[in-house]
C-alpha cells in the first residue's frame, strides 16, 4: 500500500494532468492579450500595475491578471520576481514580470530576436483554435469507435485542408501559423545547416504554404531559383512572382516540378506511410529530371531525444497528428521503411533543429 505522502503526491499529479489543458488556455489568453508585446514595450520587464496600465483589459477583469501571470510564470513562460519595492516611493512590494527566451518567441515586434519577428504567437493561436481543440476532445470517442473518420473530421465534418478551403478565418490562422514557423525555422536552418543549399540552382518547396520558407531561402541564397507548390486555396492571394519565388498551384500526389533540391518541411507527418511513399516517389522523379545530382531535404521530426522536454514535445505532436490526420511523427525505423519503398538508397539524419531534424535523401 502506498504511503499517505505517495498517495497525496499521486493525487496532485492527477490534478495537474487533468487540468493541463488550462496551461494551453492560459498561454492562449496571454497571446490574445498581447502580454509578451506589452512587456517588450516596457523594455522587457514590467510590474503588475505597469502591465495592467498597458494591456487592453476592462477594469472588471484587471483583478484576475495576476493569477493568469502566476500560472504562466510557474510554467516558465515568463519570469516572476516577487517582492520588488513599488516605484515612486509608494508603500509595499509588487511582482515584476520579465520576458525570457520562451516568451521572446511570442513578441511580434521586428526589433526582437536579433532583428527577426518570428511571431510564434500565431502558432499558439492555431493550436488552440476551436477546430483543433475540438478534435482533441473527440479522441476518447474516436478510440472507442470503429469508423474511418479522424477525430478532426468527427469534430468539424471535414479534414483540416477541407476546412481551410471553406473557412477563410481558419485558412488564414493556419497559413499565418505555418508562415511564422517558417520565419523562425528558416533563420535557424540558415544558421545551423545553410550548406545544404550550397551549389544548387533550383529548389521546389513542396506543400510550401504561402512561400515564407522559399522567400527566406532566396534571400539567403540569391542564386537559387525557388518555386512553391501548394493547393489552389493556399496559392490564391499570394502575389505571383513575389521576391523571385514562383508559385505553382497543384497536387503533390500528381506532379512535382523538376529541381535539384526538393524541400518538404512539416509535410510528411500529415500523411500515412502509403501517402508518404507516393509523395516521395513524385519527389524522386522530380530530382531525377534536375540538372544536378538531386537530393530531397525533409524537415520533420525523428522521434527520440535525450532531452525530456524535446521528447515530450515530439510525443504531443504525435498525438496532434493522430487527432488531425490519423497520421504520425516517425521514429528512424519508420522513416527508413518509407524511404526504401520510395526507391531511395541513402539518407542522413541531422537532429539539429530541436524538436525537428534535417533529413537528406539521396537516390
Ligand atoms: C503543415 S502545412 C506545412 C506548410 C509549409 N511546408 C510550412 O512548413 O510552413 C502542410 C501544407 O500542405 C499543403 N497540402 C496539403 N495537401 C496538398 C497536396 N495534395 N498538394 C500540395 N500541397 C498540399 C497544405 O495546403 C499546407 O500548406
Amino acid at each position: 500500500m502506498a504511503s499517505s505522502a505517495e498517495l497525496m503526491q499521486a493525487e496532485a499529479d492527477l490534478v495537474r494532468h487533468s487540468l493541463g489543458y488550462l496551461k494551453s488556455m492560459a498561454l492562449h489568453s496571454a497571446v490574445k492579450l498581447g502580454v509578451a508585446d506589452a512587456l517588450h514595450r516596457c523594455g522587457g520587464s514590467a510590474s503588475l500595475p505597469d502591465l495592467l496600465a498597458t494591456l487592453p483589459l476592462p477594469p472588471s477583469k484587471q483583478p484576475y491578471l495576476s493569477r493568469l501571470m502566476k500560472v504562466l510564470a510557474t510554467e516558465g513562460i515568463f519570469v516572476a520576481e516577487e517582492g520588488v519595492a513599488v516605484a515612486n516611493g509608494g508603500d509595499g512590494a509588487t511582482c515584476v514580470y520579465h520576458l525570457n527566451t520562451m516568451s521572446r518567441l511570442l513578441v511580434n515586434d521586428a526589433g526582437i530576436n536579433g532583428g527577426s519577428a518570428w511571431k510564434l504567437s500565431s502558432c499558439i493561436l492555431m493550436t488552440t483554435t476551436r477546430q483543433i481543440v475540438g478534435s482533441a476532445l473527440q479522441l476518447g470517442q474516436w478510440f472507442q469507435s470503429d469508423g474511418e473518420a479522424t477525430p478532426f473530421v468527427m469534430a468539424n465534418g471535414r479534414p483540416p485542408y477541407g476546412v481551410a478551403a471553406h473557412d477563410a478565418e481558419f485558412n488564414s490562422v493556419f497559413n499565418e501559423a505555418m508562415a511564422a514557423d517558417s520565419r523562425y525555422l528558416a533563420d535557424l536552418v540558415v544558421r545551423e545547416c545553410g550548406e545544404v543549399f550550397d551549389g544548387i540552382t533550383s529548389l521546389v518547396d513542396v506543400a510550401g504554404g504561402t512561400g515564407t520558407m522559399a522567400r527566406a531561402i532566396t534571400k539567403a541564397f540569391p542564386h537559387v531559383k525557388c518555386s512553391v507548390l501548394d493547393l489552389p486555396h493556399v496559392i490564391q492571394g499570394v502575389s505571383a512572382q513575389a521576391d523571385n519565388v514562383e508559385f505553382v498551384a497543384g497536387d503533390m500526389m500528381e506532379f512535382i516540378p523538376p529541381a535539384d533540391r526538393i524541400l518538404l518541411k512539416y509535410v510528411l507527418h500529415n500523411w500515412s506511410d502509403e501517402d508518404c511513399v507516393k509523395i516521395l516517389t513524385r519527389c524522386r522523379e522530380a530530382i531525377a529530371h534536375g540538372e544536378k545530382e538531386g537530393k530531397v531535404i525533409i524537415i520533420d521530426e525523428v522521434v527520440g531525444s535525450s532531452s525530456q522536454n524535446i521528447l515530450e514535445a515530439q510525443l504531443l505532436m504525435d498525438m496532434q497528428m493522430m487527432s488531425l490526420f490519423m497520421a504520425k511523427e516517425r521514429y528512424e525505423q519508420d522513416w527508413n521503411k518509407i524511404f526504401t519503398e520510395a526507391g531511395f538508397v541513402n539518407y542522413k539524419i541531422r537532429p539539429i533543429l530541436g524538436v525537428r531534424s534535417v533529413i537528406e535523401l539521396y537516390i
Side-chain angles (χ1 to χ4, degrees), residues 185-195 197 213 216-217 220-221 353:
L185 208 77
D187 281 358
L188 216 58
V189 163
V190 170
R191 198 198 292 180
E192 295 297 322
C193 57
E195 69 280 1
F197 303 107
M213 190 78 186
I217 294 169
F221 307 97
L353 300 175

Side-chain angles (χ1 to χ4, degrees), residues 61-337:
K61 298 293 158 44
Q62 293 190 357
Y64 297 94
L65 184 69
S66 62
R67 288 157 61 186
L68 176 71
M69 291 304 295
K70 194 150 220 127
V71 168
L72 293 165
T74 303
E75 293 305 319
I77 296 166
F78 299 102
V79 175
E81 190 183 356
E82 301 279 356
V84 177
V86 291
N88 304 326
D91 284 340
T94 185
C95 182
V96 170
Y97 298 101
H98 306 275
L99 287 173
N100 58 14
T101 306
M102 198 185 333
S103 37
R104 254 180 231 114
L105 291 175
L106 303 174
V107 173
N108 292 315
D109 186 90
I112 194 117
N113 300 317
S116 299
W118 295 319
K119 302 187 192 175
L120 290 194
S121 50
S122 312
C123 300
I124 311 298
L125 292 180
M126 179 192 73
T127 49
T128 53
T129 49
R130 172 176 64 72
Q131 291 88 345
I132 289 185
V133 174
S135 71
L137 283 172
Q138 293 293 327
L139 265 170
Q141 205 188 327
W142 173 77
F143 267 111
Q144 290 172 301
S145 67
D146 205 14
E148 302 235 310
T150 63
F152 189 95
V153 171
M154 288 168 75
N156 301 290
R158 299 174 197 271
Y161 299 125
V163 173
H166 287 87
D167 177 336
E169 191 185 336
F170 183 74
N171 189 36
S172 145
V173 171
F174 186 88
N175 290 335
E176 183 40 48
M178 288 298 116
D181 181 62
S182 290
R183 277 192 294 274
Y184 160 73
L185 208 77
D187 281 358
L188 216 58
V189 163
V190 170
R191 198 198 292 180
E192 295 297 322
C193 57
E195 69 280 1
V196 295
F197 303 107
D198 277 349
I200 66 168
T201 55
S202 58
L203 176 144
V204 178
D205 188 2
V206 171
T210 51
T212 306
M213 190 78 186
R215 275 189 209 100
I217 294 169
T218 39
K219 191 167 163 218
F221 307 97
H223 61 280
V224 182
K225 181 178 169 296
C226 279
S227 314
V228 173
L229 172 76
D230 209 296
L231 295 172
H233 70 264
V234 176
I235 298 294
Q236 236 171 38
V238 180
S239 64
Q241 303 291 331
D243 308 314
N244 280 336
V245 174
E246 189 189 341
F247 288 88
V248 181
D251 182 349
M252 62 187 165
M253 299 288 177
E254 303 292 329
F255 175 71
I256 294 174
D260 44 44
R261 290 291 179 279
I262 301 292
L263 177 66
L264 287 160
K265 168 186 165 274
Y266 247 12
V267 175
L268 296 179
H269 71 165
N270 293 352
W271 298 91
S272 66
D273 286 355
E274 296 72 33
D275 285 329
C276 286
V277 170
K278 225 183 270 174
I279 297 165
L280 286 172
T281 304
R282 297 286 94 80
C283 292
R284 186 169 51 71
E285 289 159 4
I287 57 173
H289 288 101
E291 290 157 18
K292 302 221 165 177
E293 190 183 297
K295 233 191 249 182
V296 177
I297 300 164
I298 298 171
I299 298 179
D300 228 315
E301 296 183 12
V302 180
V303 181
S305 172
S306 54
S307 152
Q308 195 53 34
N309 285 359
I310 288 182
L311 183 61
E312 186 182 348
Q314 292 173 335
L315 297 178
L316 290 173
M317 279 298 296
D318 183 49
M319 287 289 283
Q320 169 102 304
M321 290 307 115
M322 184 195 297
S323 163
L324 300 191
F325 302 100
M326 275 163 63
K328 61 185 175 190
E329 301 300 346
R330 293 180 168 83
Y331 292 77
E332 182 174 353
Q333 61 269 29
D334 304 320
W335 285 115
N336 189 331
K337 187 166 171 288

